Amino acid sequence: MDAAFDATGAVVARVREAVQLRRGLTIVGGGTHSVWHLPARAAALEIDMKRHAGILSHEPSELVVTARAGTPLAELEAALAEHGQVLPFDPPRFGAEATLGGAVASGLSGPARPWYGAVRDAVLGVRIVDGRGEVCRFGGEVMKNVAGYDLSRLQAGAFGTLGVILDVSLRVRAAPEVTRTQVLELGLSAALDRMLAFGRRPWPVTGLAWADGELRVRLAGAAEGVSAAAREVGGTEASEDRFFERLRDLELDELAATEGSLWRLSVPFDAPHADFPANWVIDWGGAQRWCVTDTEPGRVFAAARGLGGHARRLRPSLLGTAPAPGVAALEARVRAALDPAGVLNPGVMDLEEG
């Protein structure tokens, strides 16, 4: 559409400057996802992607949209809504400045992830600037590959270390006819059991979450199917339906508390309850477990491993589990192929358990 917002040339020049100077390059967007990664190491240069914005194409009948990385999420979602469509992964937006590039680079998905898929599942293709300052396209009609990896989807969750994202092509889906949330009063252990049972039913579920003694079941789809499922779920219909939006954006009072450390545990759906004291909020039908706790980090990491998962602390400072040696070696190979000089957001993913 409007080529005035195409900053490809400036991005290429900035990356090549970083390579020439042998300095790290910080990739800056809306800044709303910065809590999820470490600061770039030794990065004296930065590139602002917010002005590289705009929806390039939208084919409603094909359920595909392509937009530049700096496009505000709010703008993209409003354009899709005009055609009765939504982003399937319902990306968190931790502020009004959230951009498409940040949503893809962080790899974060909303409460519907277990049913609609993750960010990487929606990515059809990307155009990036690699660590040499070359424009590359992955997916779509032109494929440039490294050892057979799907490099378009690898951008999801890479936090810019595999390229400066320019444009993204995404699969979208039709917005549901109706959305309704049922609320059941249950304790945490009973709620985990009920989530596991509900997740196996052929209902139009798009959210299963527990907080403050209440299990919420979000149903979305055709009106008749939603009503039938709601009767089987039981409980009462929620008077307001912003709970899942506030959960997605970490705006719930239970998660916004200033005292204690904020943790996210990613575990199997059927994992038992963790054995340390905390204030809990459960999402993804049991697979994503938020908590605020004063428990020392070593115990939290050990508990997450014991449940078959991993943990990340977001507050007061970022801590996380480093990838397994085999995964780390694979990541290093791909990164070396796309960023041999190591200039793209260096060190942002070097998590440690403290």
Side-chain angles (χ1 to χ4, degrees):
M1 294 184 180
D2 189 350
F5 295 101
D6 185 354
T8 300
V11 175
V12 168
R14 197 60 160 165
V15 173
R16 291 179 179 177
E17 180 185 8
V19 173
Q20 183 178 11
L21 297 176
R22 298 184 179 180
R23 303 305 297 265
L25 177 65
T26 300
I27 305 167
V28 180
T32 60
H33 292 80
S34 59
V35 69
W36 289 88
H37 63 78
L38 297 169
R41 184 178 61 246
L45 304 178
E46 68 176 38
I47 180 69
D48 186 348
M49 297 301 297
K50 290 194 296 295
R51 64 193 184 98
H52 183 73
I55 298 172
L56 298 174
S57 66
H58 179 208
E59 300 293 340
S61 63
E62 300 295 331
L63 298 176
V64 175
V65 66
T66 300
R68 297 187 178 114
T71 306
L73 278 177
E75 177 183 320
L76 176 59
E77 291 181 321
L80 293 175
E82 291 180 3
H83 297 274
Q85 296 177 341
V86 295
L87 295 172
F89 53 94
D90 190 19
R93 68 296 311 277
F94 308 111
E97 299 296 316
T99 64
L100 173 61
V104 173
S106 68
L108 300 174
S109 305
R113 183 191 186 282
W115 301 275
Y116 285 173
V119 179
R120 63 177 177 270
D121 299 315
V123 174
L124 300 174
V126 298
R127 194 169 64 98
I128 68 166
V129 176
D130 70 9
R132 299 178 181 86
E134 298 179 358
V135 177
C136 308
R137 186 185 299 275
F138 305 106
E141 297 179 357
V142 180
M143 177 69 73
K144 177 180 178 182
N145 233 326
V146 177
Y149 301 126
D150 186 347
L151 292 177
S152 59
R153 295 186 174 187
L154 283 181
Q155 298 295 330
F159 286 104
T161 59
L162 299 181
V164 183
I165 299 175
L166 295 173
D167 318 324
V168 185
S169 295
L170 295 166
R171 174 179 56 83
V172 300
R173 65 178 295 127
E177 181 180 332
V178 296
T179 299
R180 173 174 174 172
T181 298
Q182 295 296 113
V183 182
L184 294 82
E185 294 186 6
L186 291 171
L188 177 52
S189 295
L192 288 172
D193 291 339
R194 196 72 63 89
M195 285 181 182
L196 194 59
F198 284 174
R200 294 169 175 164
R201 299 300 300 274
W203 295 333
V205 176
T206 63
L208 274 177
W210 179 91
D212 194 26
E214 294 182 335
L215 171 63
R216 285 176 167 81
V217 184
R218 185 174 65 182
L219 304 163
E224 184 177 350
V226 168
S227 295
R231 288 192 294 270
E232 292 193 62
V233 170
T236 59
E237 183 176 0
S239 57
E240 61 87 19
D241 203 26
R242 288 202 69 252
F243 171 86
F244 284 97
E245 293 178 18
R246 292 185 287 118
L247 170 59
R248 176 196 66 195
D249 299 340
L250 302 184
E251 293 176 349
L252 293 180
D253 291 342
E254 295 88 343
L255 302 180
T258 57
E259 297 183 1
S261 299
L262 176 62
W263 290 84
R264 182 185 75 161
L265 278 67
S266 297
V267 299
F269 292 99
D270 57 354
H273 182 46
D275 64 350
F276 60 87
N279 294 323
W280 292 93
V281 174
I282 311 298
D283 193 11
W284 291 359
Q288 180 167 253
R289 305 184 185 185
W290 296 96
C291 71
V292 176
T293 181
D294 291 323
T295 303
E296 59 95 13
R299 184 177 176 186
V300 178
F301 283 120
R305 284 193 295 269
L307 296 176
H310 56 86
R312 176 174 295 203
R313 188 181 75 180
L314 300 184
R315 194 178 66 228
S317 59
L318 188 64
L319 293 176
T321 305
V327 175
L330 179 59
E331 289 179 352
R333 287 171 56 194
V334 177
R335 193 169 294 123
L338 289 171
D339 183 20
V343 299
L344 301 178
N345 273 354
V348 300
M349 298 179 69
D350 293 347
L351 294 176
E352 297 181 356
E353 294 191 2

